[in-house]
Amino acid sequence: MFEVRKSIKRFRDAPAWTYRKNDRGYLDTFNHDGYPFSLGPDGLSLRHLLQGSLQGRKVSMFHLRALKRSGRAHVAWPYSVAVLPLPRALPATAFTSRRLMLPGREKHPALPRTPGPFRDLTEIGTHLVHCHSEDVDFAALINTYALERLMHKARLGWRIEGSRMIRWTDGRKTYEDLLSLAETVASIVDDFPEEAWRWTQ
Protein backbone atom coordinates (compact mmCIF):
# COMPACT_ATOMS: atom_id res chain seq x y z
CA MET A 1 0.00 0.00 0.00
CA PHE A 2 2.89 2.35 0.75
CA GLU A 3 4.24 1.89 -2.80
CA VAL A 4 0.78 2.60 -4.22
CA ARG A 5 0.49 5.84 -2.23
CA LYS A 6 3.96 6.95 -3.38
CA SER A 7 3.02 6.13 -6.95
CA ILE A 8 -0.18 8.20 -6.75
CA LYS A 9 1.81 11.17 -5.45
CA ARG A 10 4.39 10.88 -8.26
CA PHE A 11 1.72 10.93 -10.95
CA ARG A 12 -0.45 13.51 -9.17
CA ASP A 13 2.48 15.93 -9.08
CA ALA A 14 3.53 15.29 -12.70
CA PRO A 15 2.44 18.15 -15.00
CA ALA A 16 1.59 15.71 -17.83
CA TRP A 17 -1.22 14.13 -15.79
CA THR A 18 -4.56 15.42 -14.54
CA TYR A 19 -5.54 14.04 -11.12
CA ARG A 20 -8.89 13.81 -9.34
CA LYS A 21 -9.27 11.95 -6.06
CA ASN A 22 -12.92 11.08 -6.83
CA ASP A 23 -15.04 11.46 -9.94
CA ARG A 24 -18.51 9.94 -9.82
CA GLY A 25 -19.42 11.60 -13.10
CA TYR A 26 -16.64 9.78 -14.96
CA LEU A 27 -17.58 6.47 -13.30
CA ASP A 28 -21.14 6.92 -14.51
CA THR A 29 -20.01 7.11 -18.15
CA PHE A 30 -19.47 3.34 -18.08
CA ASN A 31 -22.13 0.66 -18.35
CA HIS A 32 -21.99 -1.00 -14.94
CA ASP A 33 -23.42 -4.26 -16.29
CA GLY A 34 -20.02 -5.36 -17.67
CA TYR A 35 -16.64 -6.25 -16.14
CA PRO A 36 -15.15 -5.01 -13.89
CA PHE A 37 -18.08 -2.83 -12.77
CA SER A 38 -20.57 -5.71 -12.62
CA LEU A 39 -18.33 -7.30 -9.96
CA GLY A 40 -19.65 -4.72 -7.49
CA PRO A 41 -23.40 -5.43 -7.43
CA ASP A 42 -23.88 -3.54 -4.16
CA GLY A 43 -22.01 -0.37 -5.09
CA LEU A 44 -18.91 1.09 -6.74
CA SER A 45 -16.50 3.88 -5.98
CA LEU A 46 -13.74 5.31 -8.14
CA ARG A 47 -10.56 6.65 -6.54
CA HIS A 48 -7.45 8.42 -7.81
CA LEU A 49 -8.37 9.13 -11.43
CA LEU A 50 -5.32 10.01 -13.53
CA GLN A 51 -5.69 11.13 -17.13
CA GLY A 52 -2.93 11.77 -19.64
CA SER A 53 -1.53 10.29 -22.82
CA LEU A 54 0.24 7.09 -23.83
CA GLN A 55 1.90 6.72 -27.24
CA GLY A 56 -0.28 9.53 -28.57
CA ARG A 57 -3.49 8.04 -27.13
CA LYS A 58 -5.49 9.41 -24.25
CA VAL A 59 -5.44 7.11 -21.24
CA SER A 60 -7.39 7.13 -17.97
CA MET A 61 -6.29 5.08 -14.96
CA PHE A 62 -8.02 4.60 -11.63
CA HIS A 63 -8.67 2.28 -8.70
CA LEU A 64 -12.14 0.82 -8.36
CA ARG A 65 -13.77 -0.46 -5.16
CA ALA A 66 -16.53 -2.98 -5.87
CA LEU A 67 -18.88 -3.68 -2.99
CA LYS A 68 -20.62 -6.97 -2.37
CA ARG A 69 -22.89 -7.81 0.53
CA SER A 70 -21.71 -10.71 2.67
CA GLY A 71 -24.22 -11.44 5.39
CA ARG A 72 -24.78 -8.17 7.24
CA ALA A 73 -21.51 -6.66 6.11
CA HIS A 74 -20.15 -5.33 2.83
CA VAL A 75 -16.90 -6.63 1.36
CA ALA A 76 -14.91 -4.24 -0.83
CA TRP A 77 -12.95 -5.83 -3.69
CA PRO A 78 -10.24 -3.60 -5.18
CA TYR A 79 -9.50 -3.46 -8.91
CA SER A 80 -7.12 -1.42 -11.05
CA VAL A 81 -8.46 -0.08 -14.34
CA ALA A 82 -7.03 1.61 -17.43
CA VAL A 83 -9.18 2.94 -20.29
CA LEU A 84 -7.95 3.64 -23.82
CA PRO A 85 -9.89 5.04 -26.79
CA LEU A 86 -10.37 3.06 -29.97
CA PRO A 87 -10.39 4.57 -33.48
CA ARG A 88 -14.05 3.54 -33.86
CA ALA A 89 -16.81 1.63 -32.10
CA LEU A 90 -16.47 -2.16 -32.30
CA PRO A 91 -18.74 -5.06 -31.25
CA ALA A 92 -19.05 -5.53 -27.50
CA THR A 93 -16.46 -8.17 -26.65
CA ALA A 94 -14.73 -9.26 -23.44
CA PHE A 95 -11.61 -11.37 -22.93
CA THR A 96 -10.80 -12.33 -19.34
CA SER A 97 -7.81 -14.27 -18.07
CA ARG A 98 -8.95 -17.36 -16.19
CA ARG A 99 -6.52 -16.31 -13.45
CA LEU A 100 -9.01 -13.51 -12.68
CA MET A 101 -12.02 -15.80 -12.53
CA LEU A 102 -12.34 -16.42 -8.81
CA PRO A 103 -15.34 -18.47 -7.65
CA GLY A 104 -18.53 -16.45 -8.00
CA ARG A 105 -17.29 -14.00 -10.63
CA GLU A 106 -18.82 -16.01 -13.44
CA LYS A 107 -22.24 -15.16 -11.93
CA HIS A 108 -21.75 -11.52 -12.92
CA PRO A 109 -22.09 -10.49 -16.57
CA ALA A 110 -18.90 -9.86 -18.51
CA LEU A 111 -20.82 -7.68 -20.98
CA PRO A 112 -23.98 -5.58 -20.75
CA ARG A 113 -27.00 -7.39 -22.17
CA THR A 114 -28.01 -4.24 -24.03
CA PRO A 115 -28.16 -3.40 -26.89
CA GLY A 116 -28.34 -7.16 -27.55
CA PRO A 117 -27.48 -10.61 -26.22
CA PHE A 118 -23.95 -11.95 -26.09
CA ARG A 119 -22.49 -15.44 -25.99
CA ASP A 120 -19.99 -17.24 -23.82
CA LEU A 121 -17.64 -18.42 -26.56
CA THR A 122 -16.25 -21.72 -25.39
CA GLU A 123 -15.61 -22.80 -28.97
CA ILE A 124 -12.77 -20.36 -29.66
CA GLY A 125 -9.40 -19.95 -28.03
CA THR A 126 -7.86 -22.01 -25.26
CA HIS A 127 -8.48 -22.72 -21.61
CA LEU A 128 -6.40 -19.64 -20.68
CA VAL A 129 -9.05 -17.01 -21.39
CA HIS A 130 -12.83 -16.60 -21.09
CA CYS A 131 -14.34 -14.94 -24.15
CA HIS A 132 -17.76 -13.30 -24.52
CA SER A 133 -19.03 -11.32 -27.50
CA GLU A 134 -22.15 -10.11 -29.23
CA ASP A 135 -20.43 -11.06 -32.51
CA VAL A 136 -18.82 -14.51 -32.63
CA ASP A 137 -17.03 -13.88 -35.93
CA PHE A 138 -15.50 -10.64 -34.69
CA ALA A 139 -14.24 -12.29 -31.50
CA ALA A 140 -12.70 -15.13 -33.52
CA LEU A 141 -11.04 -12.60 -35.84
CA ILE A 142 -9.19 -10.72 -33.09
CA ASN A 143 -8.38 -13.74 -30.92
CA THR A 144 -4.90 -15.26 -31.17
CA TYR A 145 -2.90 -17.66 -29.06
CA ALA A 146 -0.29 -14.92 -28.51
CA LEU A 147 -3.01 -12.60 -27.17
CA GLU A 148 -4.25 -15.26 -24.78
CA ARG A 149 -0.73 -16.04 -23.52
CA LEU A 150 -0.09 -12.34 -22.98
CA MET A 151 -3.31 -11.89 -21.04
CA HIS A 152 -2.73 -14.99 -18.94
CA LYS A 153 0.78 -13.88 -18.00
CA ALA A 154 -0.35 -10.33 -17.17
CA ARG A 155 -3.47 -11.53 -15.26
CA LEU A 156 -5.48 -9.23 -17.44
CA GLY A 157 -9.08 -8.72 -18.46
CA TRP A 158 -10.46 -6.25 -21.00
CA ARG A 159 -13.66 -5.46 -22.78
CA ILE A 160 -14.74 -3.23 -25.62
CA GLU A 161 -17.46 -0.71 -24.81
CA GLY A 162 -18.27 1.29 -27.92
CA SER A 163 -15.14 3.16 -28.96
CA ARG A 164 -13.06 2.48 -25.86
CA MET A 165 -11.30 -0.47 -24.31
CA ILE A 166 -11.54 -1.05 -20.57
CA ARG A 167 -8.59 -2.98 -19.11
CA TRP A 168 -8.67 -4.31 -15.55
CA THR A 169 -6.95 -6.55 -13.06
CA ASP A 170 -7.52 -7.27 -9.40
CA GLY A 171 -5.86 -5.46 -6.50
CA ARG A 172 -4.59 -1.90 -6.14
CA LYS A 173 -1.59 -1.61 -8.45
CA THR A 174 0.93 1.20 -8.64
CA TYR A 175 0.32 3.61 -11.50
CA GLU A 176 3.62 2.53 -13.05
CA ASP A 177 2.20 -1.01 -13.18
CA LEU A 178 -1.10 0.32 -14.54
CA LEU A 179 0.72 2.26 -17.25
CA SER A 180 2.66 -0.87 -18.18
CA LEU A 181 -0.58 -2.84 -18.47
CA ALA A 182 -2.11 0.00 -20.52
CA GLU A 183 0.86 -0.38 -22.88
CA THR A 184 0.05 -4.10 -23.10
CA VAL A 185 -3.51 -3.26 -24.09
CA ALA A 186 -2.28 -0.70 -26.63
CA SER A 187 -0.15 -3.45 -28.20
CA ILE A 188 -3.21 -5.74 -28.31
CA VAL A 189 -5.19 -3.04 -30.13
CA ASP A 190 -2.31 -2.40 -32.54
CA ASP A 191 -2.24 -6.12 -33.36
CA PHE A 192 -5.91 -6.24 -34.35
CA PRO A 193 -6.10 -7.24 -38.02
CA GLU A 194 -6.97 -4.47 -40.46
CA GLU A 195 -10.30 -6.17 -41.13
CA ALA A 196 -11.38 -5.40 -37.55
CA TRP A 197 -11.41 -1.67 -38.31
CA ARG A 198 -13.67 -2.24 -41.35
CA TRP A 199 -16.08 -4.50 -39.43
CA THR A 200 -19.76 -3.85 -40.06
CA GLN A 201 -22.26 -4.63 -37.33
Side-chain angles (χ1 to χ4, degrees), residues 6 56 74 108 121 149 158 175 177:
K6 288 199 302 182
H74 279 83
H108 302 286
L121 305 179
R149 290 293 303 171
W158 56 264
Y175 280 79
D177 287 342

Side-chain angles (χ1 to χ4, degrees), residues 147-159:
L147 178 148
E148 294 196 10
R149 290 293 303 171
L150 185 66
M151 291 182 59
H152 183 70
K153 183 178 179 182
R155 197 183 179 98
L156 173 66
W158 56 264
R159 72 177 172 95

Side-chain angles (χ1 to χ4, degrees), residues 3-191:
E3 286 301 319
V4 172
R5 287 196 296 270
K6 288 199 302 182
S7 172
I8 291 168
K9 186 177 188 307
R10 282 192 295 270
F11 276 79
R12 184 184 64 202
D13 295 342
W17 293 89
T18 300
Y19 171 81
R20 290 189 292 281
K21 186 172 183 179
N22 302 287
D23 194 325
R24 184 72 202 187
Y26 181 70
L27 177 61
D28 288 341
T29 68
F30 298 95
N31 191 319
H32 294 181
D33 292 332
Y35 287 164
F37 309 99
S38 61
L39 300 173
D42 298 312
L44 298 165
S45 65
L46 180 153
R47 301 293 302 273
H48 308 298
L49 173 65
L50 282 155
Q51 294 178 301
S53 63
L54 170 69
Q55 301 170 4
R57 296 181 175 100
K58 292 180 180 178
V59 61
S60 299
M61 305 184 294
F62 55 91
H63 291 140
L64 182 74
R65 292 176 72 246
L67 298 178
K68 290 188 284 187
R69 187 174 288 110
S70 178
R72 295 183 178 181
H74 279 83
V75 178
W77 293 93
Y79 299 100
S80 295
V81 184
V83 182
L84 288 92
L86 296 171
R88 52 155 292 192
L90 295 173
T93 302
F95 283 79
T96 310
S97 167
R98 286 187 183 267
R99 295 176 67 198
L100 287 174
M101 297 308 295
L102 300 177
R105 281 187 184 168
E106 68 279 357
K107 297 177 183 177
H108 302 286
L111 291 172
R113 297 196 180 276
T114 54
F118 64 87
R119 286 180 55 195
D120 182 352
L121 305 179
T122 56
E123 67 268 33
I124 70 170
T126 70
H127 68 285
L128 299 177
V129 170
H130 283 260
C131 180
H132 300 81
S133 183
E134 65 177 1
D135 189 322
V136 177
D137 293 334
F138 176 79
L141 173 70
I142 64 174
N143 185 51
T144 65
Y145 181 67
L147 178 148
E148 294 196 10
R149 290 293 303 171
L150 185 66
M151 291 182 59
H152 183 70
K153 183 178 179 182
R155 197 183 179 98
L156 173 66
W158 56 264
R159 72 177 172 95
I160 296 170
E161 183 178 280
S163 59
R164 59 185 173 182
M165 183 178 277
I166 304 161
R167 182 224 61 85
W168 64 282
T169 190
D170 51 7
R172 293 182 71 218
K173 309 300 183 188
T174 68
Y175 280 79
E176 286 83 1
D177 287 342
L178 262 175
L179 199 57
S180 175
L181 288 174
E183 289 173 342
T184 299
V185 170
S187 72
I188 289 171
V189 173
D190 290 341
D191 285 341

